Amino acid sequence: MNYNSLTTHETQNDSISITGKSEDSTYWSVADIEALLDAPFNDLIYRAQCVHRQHHDANGVQLSTLISVKTGGCPEDCGYCPQAARYHTSVENQDMLSLDDVVSAAAAAKAKGASRFCMGAAWRGPKQRDIEKMTEMVRAVKSLGMETCATLGLLKPGQAEQLGEAGLDYYNHNLDTAPEYYEEIITTRQYQDRLNTLQEVRNAGINVCCGGIVGMGETRQSRAGLIAQLANLNPYPESVPINHLVQVEGTPLYGTAALDPLEFVRTIAAARITMPKAMVRLSAGRQEMSEAIQALCFLAGANSIFYGDKLLTTGNPETDHDRALLDKLGLHAL
Ligand code: SAM
Ligand code: DTB
Ligand code: SF4
């Protein structure tokens, strides 16, 4: 199918659909997604917006607040990450936060309007004693009436069940990039390890939050490859964070050539079209992004953001600033 000439046609029930691969199809080839990314920008965004409106509140944005419950000193070698022990960045190691600290941060996030609270840890994966502390945190945050999410690295059999029993709603574990580019970025764990963890999460009945990073020097074909991997997960993730690389001094990817911001917008649109019901999160990198590009991301189907002045270790727009942006665009928090 040639997406370079996307046209619209009226369907029997008069709603607008667009010729091309059906959004309900379960399989997307890399070539299908490359064709989307290669399409004229207006055609791509229009199609993404149509898909978005079929499945979501057109002007709603979900707000998730992040907290790093254990910072730095990580044994892995992810080339983008300021928390890897082997890179010399300005991140200071911090032991696990106390339950009280986490609950206060969650309550403050809720008071500012966040509906989900995501707890991240700089681990290859949690040990059993870590899972015990995490389940306490999940229970406490859940009891505040917030959705809970955790991102703790690779999970061993049985760990996802324990998190699920404590009330974990989502587990974030990213594929990060396309399989063929992965070894350029991370060598201490394999793509298949990540897929195995995602399967553990699915088997435990926890919603999957899985996405990746763009702007790591990958080709457009590799961006298509990432989206294909995500879209072909069966079922595809409920939540899809699309991060723009935050370049941190001391990491191997610091100094990577800047990506054209419109490529980022195209990637968001491809995620929306191929995973119509997912929440697509405009994730890391917003602080470095203009309001105009963020607005285009919302137009392309992003309907979730990280909300709060910090991601895990790097900055994110101030909440007042984000509120003003949402107001300016007539967007409301979900
Ligand atoms: N240690 C766990 C793991 O890697 O699975 C959980 C935390 S890790 C920081 C979560 C995700 O943050 C990574 O998979 C990556 O997608 C994202 N991330 C980390 N550093 C980033 C950066 N500098 N820019 C954009 N995204 C980043
Ligand atoms: C995700 O996809 N992005 C978030 C969250 N999941 C855990 C993390 C972004 C981290 C950006 C770099 C930092 O702040 O350390
Ligand atoms: Fe460790 Fe996660 Fe950072 Fe990789 S992304 S170095 S696993 S904290």
Side-chain angles (χ1 to χ4, degrees), residues 74 76 78-83 119-125 150-154 171-176 186 189 194 211-214 216 241 243-248 251 283-285 311-314:
C74 182
E76 302 296 284
C78 311
Y80 45 76
C81 186
Q83 303 198 69
M119 295 160 270
W123 292 319
R124 175 180 166 84
T151 181
L152 315 174
L154 300 173
Y171 192 81
N172 168 243
H173 196 62
N174 292 336
L175 290 177
D176 277 350
I186 301 144
R189 54 178 157 179
R194 294 188 182 248
I213 310 178
V214 299
M216 298 196 294
N243 295 277
H244 191 296
L245 174 69
V246 179
Q247 297 204 13
V248 180
T251 59
S283 301
L311 293 166
L312 292 173
T313 65
T314 64

Side-chain angles (χ1 to χ4, degrees), residues 215-237:
M216 298 196 294
E218 74 288 339
T219 58
R220 182 179 269 185
Q221 189 180 35
S222 283
R223 287 188 283 282
L226 166 67
I227 299 296
Q229 285 291 326
L230 297 168
N232 291 330
L233 291 172
N234 188 15
Y236 61 74

Side-chain angles (χ1 to χ4, degrees), residues 51-58 272 275-279 303:
V51 172
H52 188 59
R53 283 170 183 263
Q54 278 169 22
H55 298 279
H56 300 275
D57 175 345
R272 166 52 64 225
M275 294 171 274
K277 294 184 180 148
M279 301 302 284
N303 60 350

